Amino acid sequence: VTDEAGCTGEADVTIQVKPVPEATLSEATAKCADDATAQTITATVTPGGLSGTGTWTGDKVTKATETTATFTPKTAGAGSHTWTYSFVSVDGCEMASAVSGGVEVFAMPEITIKPSVSAICESGDNSGDVTLTMTGTYASTGAETPTYNYTSATLAGIDAATGKFNSAGQPAQTHTIALAFTDANGCAGSAETTVTVNARPVSDISMNPAAIC
């Protein structure tokens, strides 16, 4: 700086440039809607060591700390859920834009099973195989192979994969058949039905009188 008399002087000033934070989010894991385990979502803020305030917004996500939040599939319910995160440092520097994440919560199977007949004879012309048909709403495509497990405490020879059984030799009573099913997303469902095996009639022929001319 030069004044009117031609004298010059100089001065120094120091300006500190504070960093603008950036962040990335860890991924949540897709789970079934009956999963009550809370998942932790972590925000990694850079440069490391910055202090400040983190803000979590979105669907069914709960702030735990400035850089973590929790998400519980059972609380959130089935469907697609998304959230966003932003961070402001103690120096007042804010992220240029928020980062986002999300996850799918799989719906639980809703199934029923129906037998080919509701009542059948234990032997004779009206006996034979009984088959089971499953219907309902469930994931048929996904990362898992659907599994079927048909069981009955009173029926012998029931096919675990299909529920098929033969009435021959079965106890004459009403039998309960249960299905434990896992769909292609790994979500479990169950259903029950009944089939009655009827005893074969016993006939008794007598004559009165016992002898005639």
Side-chain angles (χ1 to χ4, degrees):
V1 176
T2 303
D3 63 13
E4 294 178 353
C7 300
T8 62
E10 61 182 32
D12 294 328
V13 65
T14 300
I15 299 175
Q16 188 174 8
V17 178
K18 299 292 185 178
V20 175
E22 297 180 347
T24 57
L25 297 181
S26 62
E27 293 186 0
T29 304
K31 294 288 186 179
C32 302
D34 65 342
D35 192 318
T37 302
Q39 299 185 37
T40 298
I41 307 158
T42 301
T44 301
V45 178
T46 55
L50 282 181
S51 297
T53 301
T55 301
W56 296 88
T57 59
D59 192 5
K60 307 299 182 180
V61 66
T62 302
K63 180 177 178 178
T65 69
E66 302 305 334
T67 56
T68 62
T70 59
F71 175 81
T72 305
K74 187 173 183 178
T75 302
S80 296
H81 302 276
T82 59
W83 46 81
T84 59
Y85 175 78
S86 60
F87 183 85
V88 180
S89 71
V90 291
D91 299 311
C93 299
E94 185 175 1
M95 291 171 53
S97 59
V99 290
S100 61
V103 74
E104 181 79 12
V105 176
F106 301 129
M108 303 303 296
E110 296 182 4
I111 58 172
T112 59
I113 52 175
K114 183 178 180 181
S116 54
V117 293
S118 59
I120 194 168
C121 297
E122 62 178 340
S123 62
D125 292 342
N126 294 321
S127 65
D129 289 336
V130 178
T131 58
L132 279 291
T133 301
M134 186 189 81
T135 58
T137 303
Y138 55 91
S140 58
T141 58
E144 306 289 336
T145 300
T147 61
Y148 303 79
N149 186 26
Y150 287 91
T151 58
S152 174
T154 52
L155 285 169
I158 186 169
D159 189 309
T162 65
K164 180 179 178 179
F165 70 94
N166 192 281
S167 63
Q170 304 289 357
Q173 66 182 76
T174 297
H175 301 272
T176 298
I177 302 168
L179 169 62
F181 172 71
T182 303
D183 70 10
N185 288 327
C187 302
S190 61
E192 286 188 353
T193 190
T194 59
V195 174
T196 300
V197 176
N198 293 312
R200 188 176 184 179
V202 177
S203 59
D204 183 16
I205 300 176
S206 61
M207 296 182 63
N208 187 22
I212 59 173
C213 295

